[in-house]
Coordinates of all heavy atoms in Angstrom, one line a residue:
H101 N 70.5 140.5 93.5 CA 69.4 141.3 93.9 C 69.5 141.9 95.2 O 69.3 143.1 95.4 CB 68.1 140.5 93.8 CG 66.9 141.2 94.4 ND1 66.1 142.1 93.6 CD2 66.4 141.3 95.6 CE1 65.2 142.6 94.4 NE2 65.3 142.1 95.6
T102 N 69.9 141.1 96.2 CA 70.0 141.7 97.6 C 71.0 142.8 97.7 O 70.7 143.9 98.3 CB 70.5 140.6 98.6 OG1 69.5 139.5 98.6 CG2 70.7 141.1 100.0
Q103 N 72.1 142.7 97.0 CA 73.1 143.8 97.1 C 72.5 145.1 96.3 O 72.6 146.2 96.8 CB 74.4 143.4 96.5 CG 75.0 142.1 96.9 CD 75.1 141.9 98.4 OE1 75.3 142.9 99.2 NE2 74.9 140.7 98.9
A104 N 72.0 144.8 95.2 CA 71.5 145.9 94.3 C 70.3 146.6 95.0 O 70.2 147.9 94.9 CB 71.0 145.4 93.0
R105 N 69.5 145.9 95.7 CA 68.3 146.5 96.3 C 68.5 147.1 97.7 O 67.9 148.1 98.0 CB 67.2 145.4 96.4 CG 66.0 145.7 97.3 CD 65.1 146.8 96.8 NE 64.0 147.0 97.6 CZ 64.0 147.7 98.7 NH1 65.1 148.3 99.1 NH2 62.9 147.8 99.5
Y106 N 69.4 146.5 98.5 CA 69.4 146.9 99.9 C 70.8 147.5 100.3 O 70.8 148.3 101.3 CB 69.2 145.7 100.8 CG 67.7 145.2 100.7 CD1 67.4 144.1 100.0 CD2 66.7 145.9 101.4 CE1 66.1 143.7 99.8 CE2 65.4 145.5 101.3 CZ 65.1 144.3 100.5 OH 63.8 143.9 100.4
I107 N 71.9 147.2 99.6 CA 73.2 147.7 100.0 C 73.7 148.8 99.1 O 74.2 149.8 99.6 CB 74.2 146.5 100.0 CG1 73.8 145.5 101.0 CG2 75.6 147.0 100.3 CD1 73.8 146.0 102.5
L108 N 73.5 148.7 97.8 CA 74.2 149.6 96.9 C 73.5 151.0 96.7 O 74.1 151.9 96.2 CB 74.4 148.9 95.6 CG 75.4 147.8 95.6 CD1 75.6 147.2 94.2 CD2 76.8 148.3 96.1
P109 N 72.2 151.1 96.9 CA 71.6 152.4 96.6 C 72.3 153.7 97.1 O 72.6 154.6 96.3 CB 70.2 152.3 97.2 CG 69.8 150.9 97.0 CD 71.1 150.2 97.3
P110 N 72.7 153.7 98.4 CA 73.5 154.9 98.8 C 74.8 155.1 98.2 O 75.3 156.2 97.9 CB 73.6 154.7 100.3 CG 73.4 153.3 100.6 CD 72.5 152.8 99.5
I111 N 75.5 153.9 97.8 CA 76.8 153.9 97.1 C 76.6 154.5 95.7 O 77.3 155.4 95.3 CB 77.4 152.5 97.1 CG1 77.5 151.9 98.5 CG2 78.7 152.6 96.4 CD1 78.3 152.7 99.4
V112 N 75.6 154.0 95.0 CA 75.3 154.5 93.7 C 75.0 155.9 93.7 O 75.4 156.7 92.8 CB 74.1 153.6 93.1 CG1 73.7 154.3 91.7 CG2 74.6 152.2 92.8
S113 N 74.1 156.4 94.6 CA 73.8 157.8 94.7 C 75.0 158.7 94.9 O 75.2 159.7 94.2 CB 72.8 158.0 95.9 OG 72.5 159.4 96.0

Side-chain angles (χ1 to χ4, degrees):
H101 168 88
T102 297
Q103 314 305 330
R105 165 67 178 81
Y106 293 100
I107 296 298
L108 292 180
I111 305 299
V112 169
S113 178

